[in-house]
Amino acid sequence: MTRLGLRPWREGDEPSRDVVPVTVVVLTRDEEANIARCLASVGWADQAVVIDSGSADKTVPLAQSLGADVVEHPWLGFSGQRELALRLPEVRNDWIYFVDADEWVSPQLAAEIAERLDAPDCAAFTHRLRLVFLNTWIRHCGWYSGSWVVRLVDRRYTKYDGSPVGERASVDGPVGRLANDIVDEDRKGLASWLHKHVSYAELEQRKRGKQVPMRERMRRFRCRDRTETRPLARVILKDLVFPAVPARPLALFLYMYVVRLGLLDGWAGLRFCFFHAWYQAVVDGLRAETRLP
């Protein structure tokens, strides 16, 4: 691992003496390469629930062997599957922590969650995500600084927005911030990452649909859901500014690699910015295809 200064939680680390009253939920499909590390890193939680949507590998037996409760359910989309998790009768706790199968939790983050849930003063918590790409922590290009995600939620005050990709929690109450990060480190390799992002691009194209005029984007911005959990600057850039930018793939690459200093992340940073520009080109190409006679 490269200069993370972190490692996954393991048995014997704090807060091992006390069970933390939270249910960790992991959505899976063919995550044999990642699931054992993920579940081992959340061993401090009272319960781990894996919701599997048709794995053809050893994901399910591995999860069961590690003590997780496994629920098998057809895929409903990212929002739909998370909303399902919030309402599952198998879930023992009101506090739910969504952890992706390719992520892991450090002892520092585990201890902080235990402390904050001892006397919670809000309805959800957000933290940043440390992405490891090609064995490199991507610190720059605007990714890490804007990577705040709401994952630890009280299900009594939370619902999901229905988005097929880029799903967001809508929280009816204050959202606190955690100081420690979760780590995203997929072991399935670059080819898997690229295939996955082609699927994401298809979902993104369906989500965006036709180009929306600026006036309508402004109206939607003013009328946005007040339970929106994204930072305001990110909402403005993504929903108002970026759709109006010409040559979006090139603009995105220059913004990430030059303006936001992705070049400081070395070769991994160059490839990361290039592949995000490629992803935008795929989304734009799919959109153009829908306009063909």
Side-chain angles (χ1 to χ4, degrees), residues 67-277:
D69 297 321
V70 176
V71 176
E72 299 186 61
H73 197 281
W75 183 244
L76 300 173
F78 290 100
S79 273
Q81 209 78 345
R82 292 189 191 276
E83 184 66 26
L84 170 76
L86 293 177
R87 316 305 164 200
L88 276 177
E90 290 88 349
V91 169
R92 293 199 295 258
N93 301 283
D94 286 325
W95 279 96
I96 308 292
Y97 187 30
F98 287 104
V99 178
D100 289 349
D102 58 2
E103 296 172 344
W104 52 263
V105 176
S106 67
Q108 296 92 326
L109 178 55
E112 183 179 11
I113 290 173
E115 180 180 356
R116 297 297 294 271
L117 291 188
D118 185 50
D121 56 358
C122 54
F125 292 94
T126 183
H127 56 42
R128 284 193 292 195
L129 184 150
R130 294 197 191 192
L131 175 66
V132 178
F133 182 76
L134 300 178
N135 297 317
T136 300
W137 172 19
I138 302 297
R139 303 191 194 198
H140 304 95
C141 71
W143 189 261
Y144 177 64
S145 62
S147 68
W148 292 97
V149 289
V150 175
R151 295 284 194 80
L152 181 59
V153 301
D154 187 327
R155 63 174 172 166
R156 295 170 294 181
Y157 308 108
T158 305
K159 62 182 180 179
Y160 276 83
D161 65 358
S163 298
V165 67
E167 73 284 357
R168 298 189 297 272
S170 297
V171 180
D172 185 14
V175 177
R177 283 193 170 190
L178 300 177
N180 290 284
D181 310 326
I182 196 167
V183 178
D184 182 341
E185 187 179 13
D186 195 346
R187 288 175 164 174
K188 290 190 287 186
L190 181 59
S192 173
W193 189 93
L194 293 172
H195 283 294
K196 178 171 64 176
H197 280 75
V198 170
S199 300
Y200 288 172
E202 292 178 308
L203 294 173
E204 186 72 30
Q205 186 274 327
R206 293 174 201 161
K207 174 183 174 182
R208 294 184 190 180
K210 296 180 180 179
Q211 185 75 21
V212 178
M214 176 59 81
R215 179 178 296 180
E216 176 61 16
R217 294 202 301 273
M218 289 294 296
R219 186 194 68 79
R220 292 181 184 180
F221 174 74
R222 289 194 298 269
C223 300
R224 69 190 185 280
D225 191 338
R226 297 306 173 184
T227 60
E228 167 74 69
T229 54
R230 289 181 299 168
L232 180 60
R234 188 170 184 176
V235 174
I236 292 172
L237 282 172
K238 186 170 184 179
D239 296 353
L240 294 181
V241 177
F242 189 65
V245 172
R248 283 190 292 268
L250 177 60
L252 181 62
F253 176 80
L254 293 175
Y255 174 75
M256 294 177 67
Y257 191 67
V258 179
V259 178
R260 299 307 301 269
L261 300 178
L263 55 92
L264 297 181
D265 289 321
W267 284 108
L270 174 62
R271 292 184 173 97
F272 185 75
C273 296
F274 171 80
F275 285 131
H276 272 270

Side-chain angles (χ1 to χ4, degrees), residues 17 48 174 189 287:
R17 289 193 299 269
R287 175 179 288 177

